[in-house]
PDB file of all heavy atoms in Angstrom:
ATOM      1  N   GLY A 284      77.301 117.160 115.322  1.00  0.00           N
ATOM      2  CA  GLY A 284      77.642 117.151 113.900  1.00  0.00           C
ATOM      3  C   GLY A 284      79.039 117.619 113.571  1.00  0.00           C
ATOM      4  O   GLY A 284      79.531 117.350 112.495  1.00  0.00           O
ATOM      5  N   ALA A 285      79.712 118.322 114.482  1.00  0.00           N
ATOM      6  CA  ALA A 285      81.060 118.808 114.162  1.00  0.00           C
ATOM      7  C   ALA A 285      82.058 117.669 114.318  1.00  0.00           C
ATOM      8  O   ALA A 285      81.991 116.899 115.266  1.00  0.00           O
ATOM      9  CB  ALA A 285      81.444 119.961 115.084  1.00  0.00           C
ATOM     10  N   ARG A 286      82.973 117.569 113.376  1.00  0.00           N
ATOM     11  CA  ARG A 286      84.040 116.570 113.496  1.00  0.00           C
ATOM     12  C   ARG A 286      84.982 117.050 114.585  1.00  0.00           C
ATOM     13  O   ARG A 286      85.499 118.163 114.524  1.00  0.00           O
ATOM     14  CB  ARG A 286      84.751 116.471 112.157  1.00  0.00           C
ATOM     15  CG  ARG A 286      85.919 115.531 112.132  1.00  0.00           C
ATOM     16  CD  ARG A 286      86.302 115.202 110.696  1.00  0.00           C
ATOM     17  NE  ARG A 286      87.415 116.021 110.230  1.00  0.00           N
ATOM     18  CZ  ARG A 286      87.707 116.230 108.950  1.00  0.00           C
ATOM     19  NH1 ARG A 286      86.954 115.706 107.998  1.00  0.00           N
ATOM     20  NH2 ARG A 286      88.725 116.970 108.605  1.00  0.00           N
ATOM     21  N   ALA A 287      85.206 116.215 115.591  1.00  0.00           N
ATOM     22  CA  ALA A 287      86.076 116.628 116.695  1.00  0.00           C
ATOM     23  C   ALA A 287      87.495 116.837 116.169  1.00  0.00           C
ATOM     24  O   ALA A 287      88.033 115.989 115.463  1.00  0.00           O
ATOM     25  CB  ALA A 287      86.051 115.585 117.798  1.00  0.00           C
ATOM     26  N   ALA A 288      88.074 117.972 116.512  1.00  0.00           N
ATOM     27  CA  ALA A 288      89.379 118.348 115.970  1.00  0.00           C
ATOM     28  C   ALA A 288      90.508 117.697 116.751  1.00  0.00           C
ATOM     29  O   ALA A 288      90.400 117.494 117.959  1.00  0.00           O
ATOM     30  CB  ALA A 288      89.534 119.861 116.037  1.00  0.00           C
ATOM     31  N   THR A 289      91.587 117.384 116.056  1.00  0.00           N
ATOM     32  CA  THR A 289      92.816 117.065 116.763  1.00  0.00           C
ATOM     33  C   THR A 289      93.619 118.365 116.869  1.00  0.00           C
ATOM     34  O   THR A 289      93.326 119.336 116.174  1.00  0.00           O
ATOM     35  CB  THR A 289      93.650 115.986 116.060  1.00  0.00           C
ATOM     36  OG1 THR A 289      93.861 116.376 114.703  1.00  0.00           O
ATOM     37  CG2 THR A 289      92.944 114.658 116.092  1.00  0.00           C
ATOM     38  N   THR A 290      94.600 118.369 117.734  1.00  0.00           N
ATOM     39  CA  THR A 290      95.352 119.586 118.027  1.00  0.00           C
ATOM     40  C   THR A 290      96.839 119.226 118.126  1.00  0.00           C
ATOM     41  O   THR A 290      97.204 118.047 118.014  1.00  0.00           O
ATOM     42  CB  THR A 290      94.903 120.184 119.375  1.00  0.00           C
ATOM     43  OG1 THR A 290      95.363 119.321 120.417  1.00  0.00           O
ATOM     44  CG2 THR A 290      93.393 120.338 119.447  1.00  0.00           C
ATOM     45  N   PRO A 291      97.691 120.216 118.399  1.00  0.00           N
ATOM     46  CA  PRO A 291      99.112 119.891 118.567  1.00  0.00           C
ATOM     47  C   PRO A 291      99.381 118.898 119.708  1.00  0.00           C
ATOM     48  O   PRO A 291     100.502 118.402 119.849  1.00  0.00           O
ATOM     49  CB  PRO A 291      99.751 121.250 118.847  1.00  0.00           C
ATOM     50  CG  PRO A 291      98.864 122.228 118.132  1.00  0.00           C
ATOM     51  CD  PRO A 291      97.480 121.680 118.328  1.00  0.00           C
ATOM     52  N   LEU A 292      98.367 118.579 120.506  1.00  0.00           N
ATOM     53  CA  LEU A 292      98.531 117.562 121.551  1.00  0.00           C
ATOM     54  C   LEU A 292      99.043 116.243 120.958  1.00  0.00           C
ATOM     55  O   LEU A 292      99.706 115.452 121.638  1.00  0.00           O
ATOM     56  CB  LEU A 292      97.189 117.335 122.257  1.00  0.00           C
ATOM     57  CG  LEU A 292      97.197 116.358 123.430  1.00  0.00           C
ATOM     58  CD1 LEU A 292      98.001 116.922 124.592  1.00  0.00           C
ATOM     59  CD2 LEU A 292      95.784 116.019 123.866  1.00  0.00           C
ATOM     60  N   THR A 293      98.721 116.031 119.702  1.00  0.00           N
ATOM     61  CA  THR A 293      99.251 114.895 118.937  1.00  0.00           C
ATOM     62  C   THR A 293     100.743 114.688 119.184  1.00  0.00           C
ATOM     63  O   THR A 293     101.219 113.571 119.335  1.00  0.00           O
ATOM     64  CB  THR A 293      99.026 115.225 117.434  1.00  0.00           C
ATOM     65  OG1 THR A 293      97.638 115.153 117.188  1.00  0.00           O
ATOM     66  CG2 THR A 293      99.766 114.300 116.526  1.00  0.00           C
ATOM     67  N   ARG A 294     101.481 115.811 119.226  1.00  0.00           N
ATOM     68  CA  ARG A 294     102.934 115.722 119.378  1.00  0.00           C
ATOM     69  C   ARG A 294     103.317 115.294 120.785  1.00  0.00           C
ATOM     70  O   ARG A 294     104.325 114.614 120.989  1.00  0.00           O
ATOM     71  CB  ARG A 294     103.581 117.065 119.037  1.00  0.00           C
ATOM     72  CG  ARG A 294     103.281 117.501 117.611  1.00  0.00           C
ATOM     73  CD  ARG A 294     103.741 118.921 117.364  1.00  0.00           C
ATOM     74  NE  ARG A 294     105.179 119.051 117.419  1.00  0.00           N
ATOM     75  CZ  ARG A 294     105.827 120.098 117.928  1.00  0.00           C
ATOM     76  NH1 ARG A 294     105.154 121.101 118.464  1.00  0.00           N
ATOM     77  NH2 ARG A 294     107.136 120.140 117.922  1.00  0.00           N
ATOM     78  N   ASN A 295     102.509 115.711 121.764  1.00  0.00           N
ATOM     79  CA  ASN A 295     102.786 115.294 123.135  1.00  0.00           C
ATOM     80  C   ASN A 295     102.478 113.808 123.286  1.00  0.00           C
ATOM     81  O   ASN A 295     103.184 113.085 124.003  1.00  0.00           O
ATOM     82  CB  ASN A 295     101.973 116.125 124.117  1.00  0.00           C
ATOM     83  CG  ASN A 295     102.203 117.612 123.899  1.00  0.00           C
ATOM     84  OD1 ASN A 295     101.417 118.268 123.216  1.00  0.00           O
ATOM     85  ND2 ASN A 295     103.297 118.123 124.421  1.00  0.00           N
ATOM     86  N   LEU A 296     101.426 113.365 122.616  1.00  0.00           N
ATOM     87  CA  LEU A 296     101.100 111.936 122.652  1.00  0.00           C
ATOM     88  C   LEU A 296     102.222 111.124 122.012  1.00  0.00           C
ATOM     89  O   LEU A 296     102.618 110.075 122.535  1.00  0.00           O
ATOM     90  CB  LEU A 296      99.772 111.678 121.926  1.00  0.00           C
ATOM     91  CG  LEU A 296      98.516 112.052 122.714  1.00  0.00           C
ATOM     92  CD1 LEU A 296      97.290 112.102 121.817  1.00  0.00           C
ATOM     93  CD2 LEU A 296      98.286 111.062 123.855  1.00  0.00           C
ATOM     94  N   ALA A 297     102.749 111.626 120.884  1.00  0.00           N
ATOM     95  CA  ALA A 297     103.863 110.924 120.226  1.00  0.00           C
ATOM     96  C   ALA A 297     105.045 110.815 121.182  1.00  0.00           C
ATOM     97  O   ALA A 297     105.689 109.764 121.290  1.00  0.00           O
ATOM     98  CB  ALA A 297     104.260 111.649 118.945  1.00  0.00           C
ATOM     99  N   GLY A 298     105.333 111.892 121.907  1.00  0.00           N
ATOM    100  CA  GLY A 298     106.448 111.901 122.854  1.00  0.00           C
ATOM    101  C   GLY A 298     106.241 110.913 123.992  1.00  0.00           C
ATOM    102  O   GLY A 298     107.158 110.165 124.373  1.00  0.00           O
ATOM    103  N   ARG A 299     105.027 110.902 124.532  1.00  0.00           N
ATOM    104  CA  ARG A 299     104.709 109.976 125.624  1.00  0.00           C
ATOM    105  C   ARG A 299     104.827 108.517 125.180  1.00  0.00           C
ATOM    106  O   ARG A 299     105.307 107.663 125.905  1.00  0.00           O
ATOM    107  CB  ARG A 299     103.261 110.208 126.070  1.00  0.00           C
ATOM    108  CG  ARG A 299     103.091 111.348 126.997  1.00  0.00           C
ATOM    109  CD  ARG A 299     103.079 110.825 128.421  1.00  0.00           C
ATOM    110  NE  ARG A 299     103.266 111.926 129.342  1.00  0.00           N
ATOM    111  CZ  ARG A 299     103.276 111.798 130.661  1.00  0.00           C
ATOM    112  NH1 ARG A 299     103.101 110.627 131.213  1.00  0.00           N
ATOM    113  NH2 ARG A 299     103.478 112.825 131.431  1.00  0.00           N
ATOM    114  N   LEU A 300     104.351 108.252 123.962  1.00  0.00           N
ATOM    115  CA  LEU A 300     104.390 106.881 123.439  1.00  0.00           C
ATOM    116  C   LEU A 300     105.850 106.448 123.246  1.00  0.00           C
ATOM    117  O   LEU A 300     106.219 105.309 123.518  1.00  0.00           O
ATOM    118  CB  LEU A 300     103.611 106.820 122.114  1.00  0.00           C
ATOM    119  CG  LEU A 300     103.363 105.427 121.548  1.00  0.00           C
ATOM    120  CD1 LEU A 300     102.637 104.546 122.553  1.00  0.00           C
ATOM    121  CD2 LEU A 300     102.552 105.514 120.260  1.00  0.00           C
ATOM    122  N   LEU A 301     106.651 107.403 122.813  1.00  0.00           N
ATOM    123  CA  LEU A 301     108.068 107.137 122.610  1.00  0.00           C
ATOM    124  C   LEU A 301     108.777 106.839 123.933  1.00  0.00           C
ATOM    125  O   LEU A 301     109.650 105.970 124.001  1.00  0.00           O
ATOM    126  CB  LEU A 301     108.671 108.381 121.950  1.00  0.00           C
ATOM    127  CG  LEU A 301     110.073 108.305 121.406  1.00  0.00           C
ATOM    128  CD1 LEU A 301     110.199 107.123 120.479  1.00  0.00           C
ATOM    129  CD2 LEU A 301     110.354 109.588 120.628  1.00  0.00           C
ATOM    130  N   GLU A 302     108.377 107.542 125.001  1.00  0.00           N
ATOM    131  CA  GLU A 302     108.955 107.247 126.323  1.00  0.00           C
ATOM    132  C   GLU A 302     108.542 105.852 126.788  1.00  0.00           C
ATOM    133  O   GLU A 302     109.319 105.142 127.415  1.00  0.00           O
ATOM    134  CB  GLU A 302     108.464 108.267 127.356  1.00  0.00           C
ATOM    135  CG  GLU A 302     109.130 109.611 127.238  1.00  0.00           C
ATOM    136  CD  GLU A 302     108.375 110.695 128.008  1.00  0.00           C
ATOM    137  OE1 GLU A 302     107.443 110.357 128.778  1.00  0.00           O
ATOM    138  OE2 GLU A 302     108.698 111.873 127.809  1.00  0.00           O
ATOM    139  N   LEU A 303     107.306 105.490 126.460  1.00  0.00           N
ATOM    140  CA  LEU A 303     106.815 104.172 126.880  1.00  0.00           C
ATOM    141  C   LEU A 303     107.499 103.064 126.083  1.00  0.00           C
ATOM    142  O   LEU A 303     107.836 102.021 126.625  1.00  0.00           O
ATOM    143  CB  LEU A 303     105.289 104.102 126.674  1.00  0.00           C
ATOM    144  CG  LEU A 303     104.618 102.788 127.054  1.00  0.00           C
ATOM    145  CD1 LEU A 303     104.710 102.541 128.559  1.00  0.00           C
ATOM    146  CD2 LEU A 303     103.159 102.780 126.605  1.00  0.00           C
ATOM    147  N   PHE A 304     107.691 103.315 124.791  1.00  0.00           N
ATOM    148  CA  PHE A 304     108.309 102.325 123.901  1.00  0.00           C
ATOM    149  C   PHE A 304     109.534 102.933 123.228  1.00  0.00           C
ATOM    150  O   PHE A 304     109.491 103.283 122.046  1.00  0.00           O
ATOM    151  CB  PHE A 304     107.312 101.885 122.821  1.00  0.00           C
ATOM    152  CG  PHE A 304     106.064 101.208 123.321  1.00  0.00           C
ATOM    153  CD1 PHE A 304     104.820 101.574 122.831  1.00  0.00           C
ATOM    154  CD2 PHE A 304     106.128 100.196 124.272  1.00  0.00           C
ATOM    155  CE1 PHE A 304     103.657 100.932 123.272  1.00  0.00           C
ATOM    156  CE2 PHE A 304     104.982  99.561 124.726  1.00  0.00           C
ATOM    157  CZ  PHE A 304     103.739  99.929 124.226  1.00  0.00           C
ATOM    158  N   PRO A 305     110.638 103.077 123.958  1.00  0.00           N
ATOM    159  CA  PRO A 305     111.812 103.759 123.379  1.00  0.00           C
ATOM    160  C   PRO A 305     112.299 103.071 122.102  1.00  0.00           C
ATOM    161  O   PRO A 305     112.899 103.715 121.252  1.00  0.00           O
ATOM    162  CB  PRO A 305     112.865 103.663 124.474  1.00  0.00           C
ATOM    163  CG  PRO A 305     112.131 103.342 125.722  1.00  0.00           C
ATOM    164  CD  PRO A 305     110.882 102.624 125.335  1.00  0.00           C
TER     165      PRO A 305
END
Side-chain angles (χ1 to χ4, degrees):
Chain A
R286 177 164 98 200
T289 53
T290 70
L292 183 67
T293 290
R294 300 171 67 217
N295 306 97
L296 283 166
R299 279 264 165 179
L300 189 56
L301 190 52
E302 284 165 10
L303 180 66
F304 298 134

